[in-house]
Amino acid sequence: MQEKLKKYLRLERLPHIWCPGCGNGILLGAFVRAVGQLGLDQNNTVVVSGIGCSSRATGYLDFNTLHTTHGRALAFATGIKVARPEASVFVLMGDGDAAAIGGNHLIHAARRNIDITAIIFNNSIYGMTGGQYSPLTPQGSRATTAPHGLFERPFDLAELAKAAGATYVARATTYHTGLLTRLIKAGAGHKGFSLIEVITACPVSYGRRNRSGSAYDMLVWQKEHGVPVEKAAKMKPEEMRGKFLIGELHRAEAPEYTEAYERFTGELQRSFKGE
Amino acid sequence: MNEVLPLARLMQGNEAIAEGALAAGARFFAGYPITPSTEIAEILAEKLPLLGGRFIQMEDEIASMAAVIGASLAGIKSLTATSGPGFSLKQENIGFAVIAEIPCVVVNVQRYGPSTGIPTAPAQGDVMQARWGTHGDHPAIALCPASVQEAFTLTVQAFNLSEKFRTPVILLTDEVIGHLRERVVLPGPGELPVINRKKPPAGLKVYYPYRPDADGVPPMANFCEGYRYHVTGLVHDESGFPSTSPDVAERLMIRLNNKIMNNLDEIILTESFLTEDAEIAVIAYGAVSRSARRAVKEARAAGIKVGLFRPVTIWPFPEREVAELSGRVRALLVPEMNLGQLKLEVERSAGHGAKVAGLCKVNGELITPGEILEAIRQL
């Protein structure tokens, strides 16, 4: 870790509680690098998380940090952003937080296009509760609540966010750390709702049960299965089978919620005063 | 906006709550429409933007409670309003506000339940939900207005208590008061005291967000005002960071309890009517207390020595006042629009004092003065 980035971490809270081989630390590192490169004012930055392994990240970050209830991080963050539009607001969530219990909040934050950067730690499993399946667990995977293999279909979270109105959607893995940092930076710089899905590994609760090999093997899997959008454009559909896109997946312009609110109420106030 | 309103107005209970919130300085509302609370959201949707405040209709009740907590933490006095089923949905996040000590106001305009029940009919079935709705062991403050005027003043009081004690406060009203129209005299600017959360002094080297002052309440820095700290629903020490230490857990729970229970004189409001020489006392709250007052007057006219005691604050329950009353009368009558929820508290507080009788009505209609008078005659 570069010396100048240490100020973004609560060093006295480290080492972290994540399992050996967990990708969350890589993601935390990328987040800190992105924030450092953006030079964000720590006092004016709020980081909100839900519940689960990923959501413990807020404890390690030296910002205004809020560790909320399961699935509700985006709703808490919406209150903060609406109350204080000048703040930079990040939400760190797991796949359960974002896609299951908090699915409704996700689609509505995207619909409002509120200027929040949501970073999803997608490890394909519920880690903290010991390995139950999530809406992002790949079909056929094993989980404690899918001991015979999962028959349900997973969400494509990026497509979901895009369809719901998010104006910046991207995906990276914890293998592609340079890309990951760039995407978080771009998402944070984007005015509107940004969603960055990060494929990360849970070697303990997912990998062991699914014979995915070591934490190293799981990173290699990410390297081999994540295909940059630029490269994928030149590939045949059969070559993409079983693989997934990484990079900037969607970018659009639309009015941002808090700015639109200010404009709207400003006009209202003027007309009310008869100006 | 209040300056331009006439001092006396005909107003609906829900409207008075909205006006009370504005008078208390609330500038953020997040909610989800539900009968019979909806007018509160509608009125604030109209007024907040004109006052530089913010209104947001969230995707559900849970999100509304979460957004209210977020906005309060960011420094704006915030409220939500709901009715029975919506109140149930908010409970988990109300618990979060309790442990994280985030001031906010939750209005519950009670309706007939459980479940969807009769959405437009009055009831008082959420008395225990207001006390024990969320999980864990925690104190609760709930205020129960009996008039439109009081819907206004108690909303201000709810904000004052929430800011002073850093806790969610519930305004527990009912469909009758919510939809009732009465003359209300609005106080002039500055007439009603408005309390704001105490802030830590500027320039502290280290700010401990959960280190209490002598009153048990820690000063609260708003997010983005210079002190960075961690807020969590986990048990936490004075620094705000999680802890599983038995000592830390016990100290936190006891402090959360004591900051309310050691300040009962400031929190508990009651009203007594003709109780001085009474042989029988009616204990009634909310809309039912209006019928009870009329019944007491009629009983007095018929020569029965009866009085009315009204808990305005129903949580914490005015145990001491009820115990004292029960030592002076031979019987206590508790009429309520449920099957006897507050009666349990009256029995507990009365101890071996007066006999306690209930008058329960659960058909979705208000208890009438005649019914209470009849019950008084039976005692």
Side-chain angles (χ1 to χ4, degrees):
Chain A
M1 177 67 57
Q2 289 167 304
E3 229 17 69
K4 64 175 183 183
L5 295 180
K6 283 187 178 165
K7 68 170 181 174
Y8 298 112
L9 292 169
R10 291 173 172 143
L11 295 173
E12 72 284 4
R13 307 296 311 166
L14 296 169
H16 59 66
I17 60 163
W18 294 316
C19 305
C22 171
N24 289 359
I26 299 174
L27 216 163
L28 189 72
F31 178 78
V32 164
R33 278 190 289 278
V35 169
Q37 287 170 22
L38 287 165
L40 292 183
D41 174 3
Q42 277 164 281
N43 285 333
N44 204 32
T45 300
V46 183
V47 189
V48 185
S49 62
I51 294 289
C53 301
S54 63
S55 294
R56 296 306 284 263
T58 43
Y60 308 130
L61 289 164
D62 193 4
F63 299 93
N64 302 279
T65 53
L66 177 62
H67 177 224
T68 65
T69 47
H70 191 34
R72 317 301 171 195
L74 275 169
F76 278 82
T78 298
I80 291 171
K81 183 68 184 178
V82 170
R84 214 172 258 278
E86 69 281 10
S88 304
V89 180
F90 294 87
V91 174
L92 311 181
M93 290 178 282
D95 37 326
D97 257 337
I101 188 166
N104 197 27
H105 312 310
L106 177 70
I107 59 176
H108 288 280
R111 172 181 65 81
R112 290 186 192 106
N113 194 35
I114 189 163
D115 188 22
I116 288 172
T117 304
I119 302 170
I120 321 293
F121 295 51
N122 178 9
N123 64 358
S124 310
I125 203 81
Y126 289 161
M128 194 163 266
T129 42
Q132 299 77 25
Y133 68 86
S134 92
L136 300 182
T137 301
Q139 201 168 19
S141 294
R142 285 179 195 278
T144 57
T145 46
H148 311 294
L150 182 63
F151 74 93
E152 287 188 22
R153 297 187 303 164
F155 268 133
D156 182 328
L157 205 58
E159 286 297 324
L160 179 71
K162 182 179 153 189
T167 48
Y168 182 89
V169 180
R171 187 188 289 125
T173 77
T174 49
Y175 173 81
H176 302 87
T177 52
L179 175 70
L180 174 55
T181 306
R182 285 198 298 281
L183 294 177
I184 294 175
K185 222 171 104 182
H190 175 80
K191 196 91 190 158
F193 187 74
S194 308
L195 181 135
I196 298 138
E197 182 189 5
V198 187
I199 309 296
T200 175
C202 175
V204 173
S205 286
Y206 181 86
R208 211 158 49 179
R209 189 165 287 109
N210 285 287
R211 302 179 192 280
S212 306
S214 66
Y216 170 82
D217 296 327
M218 292 179 84
L219 279 173
V220 172
W221 183 90
Q222 290 173 15
K223 177 193 176 192
E224 289 171 352
H225 290 77
V227 182
V229 276
E230 302 78 13
K231 188 177 168 194
K234 296 175 206 135
M235 286 165 64
K236 296 192 188 88
E238 54 270 28
E239 290 176 286
M240 274 302 287
R241 197 163 297 141
K243 298 194 169 147
F244 57 87
L245 291 174
I246 55 172
E248 196 174 294
L249 307 178
H250 174 66
R251 190 192 271 271
E253 290 301 320
E256 190 276 327
Y257 183 89
T258 59
E259 284 187 352
Y261 191 93
E262 289 299 319
R263 257 197 317 277
F264 176 68
T265 57
E267 278 163 27
L268 261 182
Q269 286 164 17
R270 279 190 293 281
S271 68
F272 190 76
K273 286 181 198 143
E275 285 172 22
Chain B
M1 284 266 291
N2 280 329
E3 296 83 348
V4 302
L5 295 170
L7 283 179
R9 276 178 60 184
L10 184 68
M11 205 185 271
Q12 192 194 49
N14 282 345
E15 187 184 356
I17 291 168
E19 292 292 348
L22 296 176
R27 290 294 180 270
F28 182 93
F29 178 96
Y32 189 84
I34 180 167
T35 303
S37 74
T38 314
E39 293 86 0
I40 301 170
E42 289 170 345
I43 293 162
L44 289 171
E46 185 187 339
K47 297 204 164 183
L48 276 170
L50 299 173
L51 291 166
R54 292 173 172 104
F55 172 92
I56 185 166
Q57 184 169 304
M58 293 297 284
E59 53 272 17
D60 60 33
E61 296 281 4
I62 301 170
S64 306
M65 192 62 224
V68 159
I69 294 170
S72 177
L73 186 55
I76 301 187
K77 285 189 188 178
S78 306
L79 79 155
T80 186
T82 189
S83 299
F87 193 49
S88 302
L89 286 168
K90 291 183 193 303
Q91 290 295 345
E92 184 195 12
N93 283 339
I94 292 174
F96 182 94
V98 169
I99 197 169
E101 299 182 71
I102 313 291
C104 55
V105 170
V106 181
V107 181
N108 177 8
V109 186
Q110 290 173 95
R111 65 187 229 184
Y112 193 103
S115 191
T116 313
I118 308 174
T120 52
Q124 293 175 315
D126 300 346
V127 171
M128 285 298 167
Q129 193 186 184
R131 176 67 190 87
W132 298 112
T134 185
H135 56 285
D137 199 1
H138 61 91
I141 301 179
L143 310 176
C144 218
S147 67
V148 177
Q149 179 75 52
E150 225 179 41
F152 178 91
T153 54
L154 287 185
T155 302
V156 177
Q157 175 71 353
F159 273 100
N160 285 348
L161 293 172
S162 85
E163 292 282 318
K164 174 142 199 204
F165 296 107
R166 283 190 68 174
T167 192
V169 172
I170 294 154
L171 188 78
L172 189 67
T173 179
D174 54 66
E175 190 276 339
V176 176
I177 302 299
H179 285 161
L180 180 70
R181 283 188 162 80
E182 279 183 318
R183 180 177 181 270
V184 169
V185 180
L186 292 170
E191 234 175 88
L192 269 184
V194 168
I195 297 173
N196 297 316
R197 64 192 68 169
K198 66 181 170 195
K199 300 280 201 75
L204 291 178
K205 246 197 181 118
V206 188
Y207 165 58
Y208 288 94
Y210 294 101
R211 180 170 290 175
D213 287 343
D215 61 357
V217 184
M220 181 175 174
N222 297 325
F223 266 17
C224 301
E225 285 182 353
Y227 290 120
R228 299 190 298 273
Y229 62 102
H230 187 56
V231 176
T232 176
L234 288 163
V235 163
H236 45 271
D237 61 20
E238 291 184 343
S239 71
F241 290 104
S243 170
T244 53
S245 147
D247 281 350
V248 169
E250 188 174 33
R251 239 180 299 140
L252 176 62
M253 283 306 127
I254 288 178
R255 179 174 67 75
L256 290 178
N257 191 61
N258 284 353
K259 74 175 178 178
I260 306 302
M261 300 313 284
N262 290 347
N263 291 292
L264 294 180
D265 290 346
E266 271 187 79
I267 298 168
I268 290 184
L269 299 167
T270 63
E271 188 188 78
S272 295
F273 175 63
L274 303 178
T275 53
E276 295 81 7
D277 62 339
E279 291 165 5
I280 296 169
V282 181
I283 298 185
Y285 54 99
V288 174
S289 70
R290 302 169 70 98
S291 298
R293 180 179 280 263
R294 171 70 181 271
V296 164
K297 283 185 192 165
E298 287 179 12
R300 284 274 174 178
I304 306 170
K305 283 192 167 179
V306 56
L308 169 68
F309 176 80
R310 180 166 73 92
V312 176
T313 304
I314 64 165
W315 300 117
F317 188 67
E319 294 170 27
R320 207 175 49 202
E321 293 80 352
V322 170
E324 191 269 325
L325 183 64
S326 78
R328 292 196 280 121
V329 298
R330 67 177 171 83
L332 295 164
L333 175 69
V334 189
E336 50 186 337
M337 290 186 282
N338 61 51
L339 289 172
Q341 294 190 20
L342 208 71
K343 179 171 167 262
L344 293 171
E345 289 297 303
V346 172
E347 281 169 342
R348 189 174 64 76
S349 306
H352 299 293
K355 168 190 171 188
V356 180
L359 169 59
C360 303
K361 190 168 176 181
V362 286
N363 67 350
E365 289 177 358
L366 180 61
I367 301 176
T368 64
E371 286 164 335
I372 296 173
L373 184 61
E374 183 53 33
I376 291 169
R377 287 184 194 278
Q378 303 290 319
L379 286 169

